[in-house]
Amino acid sequence: MKLFDEIPQARPATPLLDAVETPQALRAMSAAQLRQLADELRAYLLYSVGCTGGHFGAGLGVVELTVALHHALETPHDRLVWDVGHQAYPHKILTGRREAMYSMRQYNGLSAFPKRAESEFDTFGVGHSSTSISAALGMALGARTAGESRRACAVIGDGALTAGMAFEALAHAGHVKANMLVVLNDNEMSISENVGGLASYLARILASKPYTQMRANGKRLLSPLPGALELAKRTEEHMKGFISPATLFEEMGFNYIGPIDGHDLPALVQTLRNMRDLDGPQFLHVVTRKGKGFLPAERDPIGYHAITKLEKAAPQAVEQAPAVTDAPAPKPQKYCSVFGNWLCDAAAADARVIGITPAMREGSDLVRFSKEYPDRYYDVAIAEQHAVAVAAGMACEGMKPVVAIYSTFLQRGYDQLIHDVAVQKLDVTFAIDRAGLVGEDGPTHHGSLDMSFLRCVPELVLMAPADEAECRGMLSAALAHPGPAAVRYPRGTGPGVATDADLTPMAIGQGEYRRRISGSPEVRVAIVAVGSMNTPVAEVAEALDATHFNLRSIKPLDREALLEIAAEHDLVVTVEENAIAGGAGAGVAELYLNAGLAQPMLLLGLPDGFVEHGKPVELLRDCGLDAAGIRASIETRLGS
């Protein structure tokens, strides 16, 4: 295997890879050619991701596995399902998208994840963890029902295997004896380090090779004896029970093979060929290294989970004396940093405060909290349902749990939020990150529905900050509220408003006038902005001489102020970075209808469709939620 210590700045020579337009080409290659292809694939992956940015370490770790799978399986006739999709870049390169990789995660370019509309080789669209076994099982059962002969294969990581959904699928597959293959890619990583009993078991015992050695030695010794095959089988079963996960998976109905070296390409090819034609549920355990072949990523797999685009070195400028300037403005904080610092301060002030994350320590900025308060920090692995339910249990004991979770991932814990938290009126705080359009990760990661699915939940308080200071104040208000409360905030930095060090709660259910009409316009317009939309709305309100009201609290609404706005304005416009259906604007409209008001309104928000990937500024423009789009929509309404 060729090793790299830096990302190539020029496109590497890849003669074998350049000849592969579909996996059919690599199925005719020799073992030596396959090894060369894997080296070229790794080099090209490094170069292309360096050009665009994107998920990095996971793809490097499955280069050999990807080559072996496409060599052994007749894709796309055989269905190959990648879990999450972070590791699918090599798959995309080998399936006709090599030259399109330079558009990865860019506006109108390749998706960061497998996507059915993009290629027939992308059999299932993914983005959230732990869905692959269920999807592949469904494909296998569909083929059985249709009388078609094909193999379905799911590739799942040991991090994704910690989720309950994966085990639900394994149990069902074993029960119905489906012809499918599950490949466990065991690299001891998800994004953060894996946690949980199963992950620890795999990492500590199963990734070692005593079982493999004992199995081979035992069969060699027993093979000359009468009845040796039956004895070998029984002996193997007992050995498996002592030192491998075979008992677990075989009791669920799978034929377990492994663990094998996931970077040993000849062994992978031979094993997959042998398993391809076996009937019933098959389970192959491969051990890989995240970031394999790129030494910096092997040393720091968390830091190299994804990278940003590499900038070309600029020409050396002539050194000049520094200009005299005023003191620089404070650098805007990321909202997740506001949350992380607030949680540490809240924990220092109240020993009941507990931080919970479903495997997103770095993304939610809980690193500092995990170090300063390790006894009050819980990473529950990729288990959003459990994260919410365990928080409910903690609240029953008088604790004040804070669940740090992405908007798109909270969807997976929705039943627990309703049934386990809200119905029981338990004191759980939800810090909902990545609300709104997150950008390059696309529709599976946009937080475009949370206000709609949270606003209808009884007993729940819901707020959205316009800036960093409001975010901190709202988090303090949510924590102080004696019941379920949520603060939803966007990805990235705020507008640059400084935060105080105190923990003063912001008043729940009170909005804020940020501007009032100063002249005498023919039509008096009030713009009610939610969260991140306050920034473009400020510009629009100034240009149109309109009232600008910062809603702050989505539930409960500021009834008094909103009724006052209706009485004083001819048109009320609501603007939110959320689906219009069921969102904050719908809540304002409901308030007016229930008050018997025939108030003219214009509701602006995300369209009734899934927004694709691109830079947030591009997506907001297309959705009409930048300043120009908001103004155009209002002027169109006024003109009509």
Side-chain angles (χ1 to χ4, degrees), residues 622-639:
D622 286 359
C623 294
L625 291 180
D626 60 354
I630 294 168
R631 179 174 179 176
S633 294
I634 295 174
E635 289 179 335
T636 298
R637 176 61 180 269
L638 293 177

Side-chain angles (χ1 to χ4, degrees), residues 400 421 425-429 459-461 478-486:
K400 295 187 73 66
V421 176
K425 304 179 184 179
L426 292 174
D427 188 2
V428 178
T429 297
E459 306 296 337
L460 181 72
V461 166
L479 189 67
H481 177 70

Side-chain angles (χ1 to χ4, degrees), residues 105-118 436-446 448 606-607 609-616 618-620 622-623:
R105 304 173 80 244
Q106 298 176 30
Y107 185 66
N108 287 334
L110 290 183
S111 168
F113 304 96
K115 183 178 180 181
R116 283 172 56 83
E118 192 175 284
L437 300 177
V438 299
E440 291 83 352
D441 282 345
T444 59
H445 283 60
H446 293 322
S448 55
L606 298 178
F610 292 104
V611 179
E612 293 299 329
H613 61 276
K615 295 185 183 302
E618 297 168 329
L619 303 181
L620 289 169
D622 286 359
C623 294

